[in-house]
Amino acid sequence: MDKMQQKTRSIITVGLMAALVFIFTYIRIEIPTPLGKTMLHLGNVMCLLTGLLFGRLKGGLAAGIGSMFFDMFDPVYLPECWITFIMKFCMAFVCGWIAHAGAKPIVGGSGEGAANGKLKGRHVAGAVCGALCYVALYMSKTYIVERLVKGYELETVLITMTTKGTVSLANALIAVAASLILSGMIRPALVRAGFAQKLGILD
C-alpha cells in the first residue's frame, strides 16, 4: 500500500469514527445542576473505542473532532467546544497510548503468525486510564470555569462538581465496560476478515 492510500484511509477512518462519536453522544440523559446541565451519554464509549482500535493519534483526533462538532450544534456548549476537543482528544490519546504501548499494526490474516486481535491487559488499562484522565480534566475545567472565571460561590461550585463528578464517573464506568466489549468483538472479526491491516488497527 502506498503512502497516499494509507493517508486517504486514515482520513476516512478518523472521519467515520468522529461521526460515530457525534451520533452516540446524542444518546444521552440530561441532568440539571445549580450551574447548568451535565449529561449521562454514550459518546465516551466511542471515544475510548477509537483509542483501543486505532491508537493515540487517530483515536484522539476522532474523539476530539466528533465531540467538538456535537458541542458546536448546542448553543449551551458552543463556547467551550475547543475545550471539549482538547479533553476528548486527551481521553482517547491516553487510552491508545497505554493500550498499544510497543504494539505494531496487525499484519496478515487469521493464519499462523498473524496477530489474533484479542483483548489484552494493556487494552483494559488503556481504557481505564483514558476514562479517568477525562474525569480529571472535566472536573478541573468545571472548577476553573465556574469558580475562577465566572466567580461563583465555592459552595455552589462544589455542589455542581459533586453532581457532575458522579455523572462523569458513571459515564466512565459505562464507557470502559462497553468499549472493551465492543473492541473484543470487533477486533478479532476484522482480523479474520482481513480488514485489520487495511484499516490500520493496532494489536
Side-chain angles (χ1 to χ4, degrees):
M1 186 192 307
D2 60 35
K3 291 184 178 180
M4 183 59 70
Q5 285 181 313
Q6 288 180 325
K7 185 176 181 179
T8 301
R9 286 180 178 175
S10 293
I11 292 172
I12 293 172
T13 299
V14 169
L16 175 62
M17 295 307 296
L20 289 175
V21 170
F22 179 87
I23 293 169
F24 271 70
T25 306
Y26 271 101
I27 305 174
R28 69 192 192 275
I29 300 173
E30 295 185 352
I31 300 172
T33 75
L35 299 178
K37 63 181 179 180
T38 187
M39 297 186 300
L40 184 64
H41 64 85
L42 298 183
N44 288 347
V45 174
M46 290 296 111
C47 289
L48 291 179
L49 184 62
T50 59
L52 288 171
L53 292 178
F54 301 104
R56 55 190 181 183
L57 184 57
K58 284 194 285 189
L61 287 173
I65 292 170
S67 300
M68 180 182 69
F69 270 93
F70 175 85
D71 280 10
M72 291 174 67
F73 282 86
D74 190 325
V76 175
Y77 298 117
L78 177 59
E80 299 179 0
C81 66
W82 63 276
I83 300 176
T84 298
F85 173 85
I86 293 172
M87 293 195 302
K88 293 302 179 77
F89 177 91
C90 289
M91 178 186 192
F93 184 93
V94 169
C95 174
W97 182 32
I98 295 174
H100 302 294
K104 297 180 180 179
I106 292 175
V107 295
S110 57
E112 185 178 354
N116 58 32
K118 292 182 179 178
L119 200 64
K120 297 177 173 64
R122 52 184 164 81
H123 297 152
V124 178
V128 171
C129 290
L132 291 179
C133 172
Y134 176 73
V135 172
L137 290 172
Y138 181 63
M139 297 310 296
S140 297
K141 188 263 300 189
T142 299
Y143 180 83
I144 291 171
V145 171
E146 306 297 351
R147 176 62 176 164
L148 303 182
V149 176
K150 296 182 180 180
Y152 289 115
E153 293 293 330
L154 179 60
E155 182 178 356
T156 304
V157 174
L158 291 178
I159 293 173
T160 299
M161 289 182 67
T162 299
T163 303
K164 288 189 174 185
T166 302
V167 174
S168 189
L169 285 173
N171 270 330
L173 289 173
I174 293 171
V176 169
S179 65
L180 288 171
I181 291 172
L182 288 172
S183 178
M185 294 169 60
I186 293 171
R187 189 190 310 274
L190 291 176
V191 170
R192 289 193 297 269
F195 289 127
Q197 182 182 13
K198 295 179 180 179
L199 295 175
I201 289 179
L202 299 176
D203 192 20

